[in-house]
Structure formats: C-alpha cells, structure tokens
Amino acid sequence: MNKLSQEIFESTYQFNGESVEGMWTRVARNLASKETDIMHELHFYNALEDFKFIPAGRILSNAGTGYKGTSYINCFVSGFRGEDQDSMEGILAELRRQALILKSEGGYGFCASVLRPKGAMIEGIGSSTPGMVRFLDMWDTQSGVITQGSGVEQEGGKKKIRKGAQMVTAYCWHPDIEEFITAKQTPNRLTKFNMSVLVTDEFMEAVRDNKIWELKFPDFSADKEFYKKNWNGDIKSWTGKIKVYKTLQARDLYDLMMKSAYNRAEPGILFIDTINDNNNLRHVEVINATNPCGEQPLPVGGACLLGSINVTQFIRNDFLDWDYEKLEQHIPSIVRMLDNVIEHTFMPLPEQYDEIRNKRRIGIGATGLGSALIMMGVEYGSEESLRLVDNYFKFVTNKIYQASSMLAKEKGTFPLWDLDNFMDTYFGEKILSEETIEMIKEYGLRNSHL
C-alpha cells in the first residue's frame, strides 16, 4: 500500500518476482535448511512475518537465491596485517581485500593510522610519502569503479549492485589527523567514505583539563627493522621510539572536529577506549574500526551480521507496555536464525571464515522505537519513555543471552569461549541478571557478541 516501500522492495530485495511473503518463505527455508527439526522453518517464518524481525539487507536479498559470489553479510572490517604493513606491498594487499569485499556487495571499514604521515621519507627512492589522507584517494577511486555497475537488470529480477559503503577511521594522535578531519570540507573529496576519529580517554581528559596534545608517530628511521616487524597502527602497544610532529591545544583539535561535523556532517567520533573496554572479547582482540554506518565495532577480519527487532510489533493490545510474552516467544528463533547465517554465507576472504566461525559474532538491535512510543502515547525522551526503553532492553538483552546459552547447550559454544574471561567483561560483570549468568556458567554461549 506504500509505493515507496514497494519500490524499495522490488529494486533491492525481491527475487524472481516474489511477493513479500515469498521473500520471508525463501529466507526462512534457507536458514532452516541445515536444522534437523523441520519446525524451525515455521518458527523463522513466524518471526519474519509482519516484519517482527528484520534481518540485515543482504540476508533478505541473497538467502536462498543461489547466487554464489554474494554474501549474506552486509559489512566487513578489514585492515593492514602482517609485517611491513605501511609498505607499498602492504597497501596494495589491503586494496585487494577492499576490492574483493566490495565485489561481494559488502560494505568495508578499516583504520588508516598505520600509514606514515605526510612528508615522511620513503626508503630507497629518495622521495616522501603523500601521507595518510592522500592515500585514501586510492580506496575512494577503486570503490567508485567496482561498485558503479552497468545499470543493466540482473538475472532473477531487479537486484542492483550496492553503492560500496565505506568507513575509514584514524586515531586522534596521528600527525595527519587535522587533514583527516577537514578532508571532506572540500566538495567531491572522499565521497565513498564515512570518516570517524578514534578518540581516546587520554585525549578527552586533555580536552577537559585544557592541556596540550601531541601529534606523534613511531620514529621509523630509528630502528627500521624493528618498525617493519612490529608497527601495526596501535601506538599504545608500541615499544619503540616515538617522534612528536606537532603540539596543539587538545580543545583546538576537538573544536576542529565539531566545526567540521557541523559544516559537512563529517567526521564522526568513536570513543575507542570505551569500545575496547566493553568488548566481550577484549582479551583476544583489539578494535579500531566499525562497519560503514557505525552500528558495530569490529576487529580486522570481522563481519557485521545484524538484524533488528521491530518493536512496533511487540506492544500489548492495551498499548500500555511491551508484549513481553510475545518477545520471549520469538527471541530464541531470532538468535538461531542469525547464528545459522554463519553456516550458509559466502565470505569474500578466506580469513573471514575463521573469524566468524571462531567467534560467531551476531548483533540484534531494535528498530521503530520512536514509532512504538508514539503508539503508546508516550513522549520521546520523557521519564516514562526512559522507563519503557530501559525495561525493554533489560528484558531483551537477558533473553537473547539466555537463548544463545541454550543454543550452546544444543550445538556447542563458539570455539574461543572462555568463562573466566567473559565474567571479567562489561556484560558479565554489570549487565546480565543472576539467572542469565547461572545459565551461561552451566552451558556457555554460542555467540561471542549478541
């Protein structure tokens, strides 16, 4: 009944002229196809019906279509790896990974702070590097070419190639960070990127206390072999010499971020220490980037496997509160459905299979929250709205973790599961109820993140 919705469905998600109900059937059947209990297909369909649960777009577009080279995963985080990461070989290797990810229709995120600052001498050729930001033009141009498409309708319907969404991040200590912050003040520059500054606690304390801030980078000329072998873009763990390129007031740098964001909506900021401190796998991974729209912080090789509960479909008939019984009925199927994507999806890079299978990371969010509050006659941002939202997320979070624990009992935990490490995390210590924690202690978790 909504022409815009119909147009979006037909151009993006529809396969072979199917109806919306046909899409739900196709997705439910595919994601339940490796289950021994055939009733899971019905449970999955019931969760999808009326858009109660909305898996991420690539799942709706690609599940059950038979397309071999497209992923069910919307977005990926990649990044430099190995030794000599900021060499031309390292840069070209990452550009290759970007190309393969974009070819699969996935979005792409990475951190550029491993790249040397503008003016640094390049060993052996007597020339200097154009710097971190200038190098981003290579990623930007390649994205434009790969995702342009032909404009010709593809086999199976009107399915069109995606636009190559990208996220690039950079730390607030990098010598080129001012150029990074202001890059998109120039029209038509880096148009294929969202950009975010990785802001540390130390920087925010310097802003609060009106202190000097240093822009710095490893002194790569002091011990060239040590630099080649060990530099990975993480200055916090760097044990070699550091060169300070510039000092400025922390507040001036923060103001530059705010003015740039006000004028052209870029860059965003990511409180990266909070992200890593609250990470369920902080003991085995470091995060320095997110997927293109920032919904999920991910490590190098990470996949953004998401879906949203449409909260407008979980309101009591009297419109006074959430329908907790209905939520509890569907959450186990929602967790199982996203977990099953891992067994079905194509991944653009071989190492991404290891990452997703070792951690089984999924993300269940919420959509329609503002609309739901309107339906309940509650003003957005009021005390009553905060109470409703808090109660919803406490309930849903615990039920989701309980569902993952019961799935672990049935199918096994994710391979990197470690109870002691989990109990030392934000969710283990502060968020989950005693009932949920006892279940996790007995059965573990099927998914590292939920």
Side-chain angles (χ1 to χ4, degrees), residues 20-33:
V20 173
E21 292 80 6
M23 176 185 69
W24 292 329
T25 300
R26 166 172 55 81
V27 173
R29 182 166 297 157
N30 179 251
L31 296 184
S33 60

Side-chain angles (χ1 to χ4, degrees), residues 171-189:
Y171 276 98
C172 55
W173 45 256
H174 196 283
D176 291 348
I177 194 62
E178 291 170 291
E179 183 186 0
F180 182 90
I181 291 167
T182 59
K184 292 183 78 169
Q185 302 301 301
T186 303
N188 300 317
R189 188 174 185 200

Side-chain angles (χ1 to χ4, degrees), residues 80 85 110-115 117 132-133 136 167-181 195-204 213-218 231-238 248 253 257 267-277 285-290 297-300:
F80 304 90
Q85 291 187 8
F110 81 120
C111 179
S113 289
V114 74
L115 297 171
M132 174 180 69
V133 182
L136 294 179
M167 167 69 82
V168 61
T169 65
Y171 276 98
C172 55
W173 45 256
H174 196 283
D176 291 348
I177 194 62
E178 291 170 291
E179 183 186 0
F180 182 90
I181 291 167
M195 304 176 75
S196 284
V197 179
L198 303 176
V199 171
T200 63
D201 290 350
E202 183 185 8
F203 174 76
M204 292 308 299
W213 183 250
E214 294 180 341
L215 304 185
K216 55 195 177 184
F217 200 80
W231 175 237
N232 64 359
D234 182 14
I235 210 156
K236 186 183 288 188
S237 65
W238 175 251
L248 72 167
L253 187 60
M257 296 180 210
I269 60 173
L270 294 165
F271 296 107
I272 195 62
D273 288 338
T274 301
I275 286 171
N276 279 295
D277 288 346
E285 65 183 25
V286 174
I287 290 173
N288 59 21
T290 74
L298 292 166
V300 171

Side-chain angles (χ1 to χ4, degrees), residues 97-251:
R97 288 187 283 268
Q98 178 220 21
L100 292 173
I101 288 170
L102 295 179
K103 175 191 171 187
S104 77
E105 298 189 335
Y108 167 85
F110 81 120
C111 179
S113 289
V114 74
L115 297 171
R116 296 180 214 195
K118 182 189 292 186
M121 293 303 296
I122 302 172
E123 185 181 8
I125 65 172
S127 182
S128 59
T129 173
M132 174 180 69
V133 182
R134 190 70 179 88
F135 265 118
L136 294 179
D137 288 333
M138 297 170 68
W139 276 264
D140 196 61
T141 300
Q142 181 162 277
S143 172
V145 172
I146 290 173
T147 61
Q148 185 175 17
S150 64
V152 176
E153 198 169 287
Q154 297 182 30
E155 181 183 355
K158 299 178 181 179
K159 188 171 176 292
K160 298 175 182 176
I161 196 162
R162 298 181 71 216
K163 294 180 180 179
Q166 297 186 108
M167 167 69 82
V168 61
T169 65
Y171 276 98
C172 55
W173 45 256
H174 196 283
D176 291 348
I177 194 62
E178 291 170 291
E179 183 186 0
F180 182 90
I181 291 167
T182 59
K184 292 183 78 169
Q185 302 301 301
T186 303
N188 300 317
R189 188 174 185 200
L190 300 180
T191 58
K192 300 298 183 183
F193 276 114
N194 290 330
M195 304 176 75
S196 284
V197 179
L198 303 176
V199 171
T200 63
D201 290 350
E202 183 185 8
F203 174 76
M204 292 308 299
E205 289 162 5
V207 172
R208 180 194 63 197
D209 299 335
N210 198 22
K211 289 184 177 180
I212 293 291
W213 183 250
E214 294 180 341
L215 304 185
K216 55 195 177 184
F217 200 80
D219 187 350
F220 44 83
S221 61
D223 188 338
K224 295 174 183 176
E225 290 307 312
F226 183 82
Y227 175 81
K228 287 181 180 179
K229 188 172 183 179
N230 295 286
W231 175 237
N232 64 359
D234 182 14
I235 210 156
K236 186 183 288 188
S237 65
W238 175 251
T239 58
K241 291 184 178 180
I242 291 177
K243 178 180 177 180
V244 176
Y245 283 71
K246 181 179 180 179
T247 59
L248 72 167
Q249 292 295 130
R251 288 184 181 178

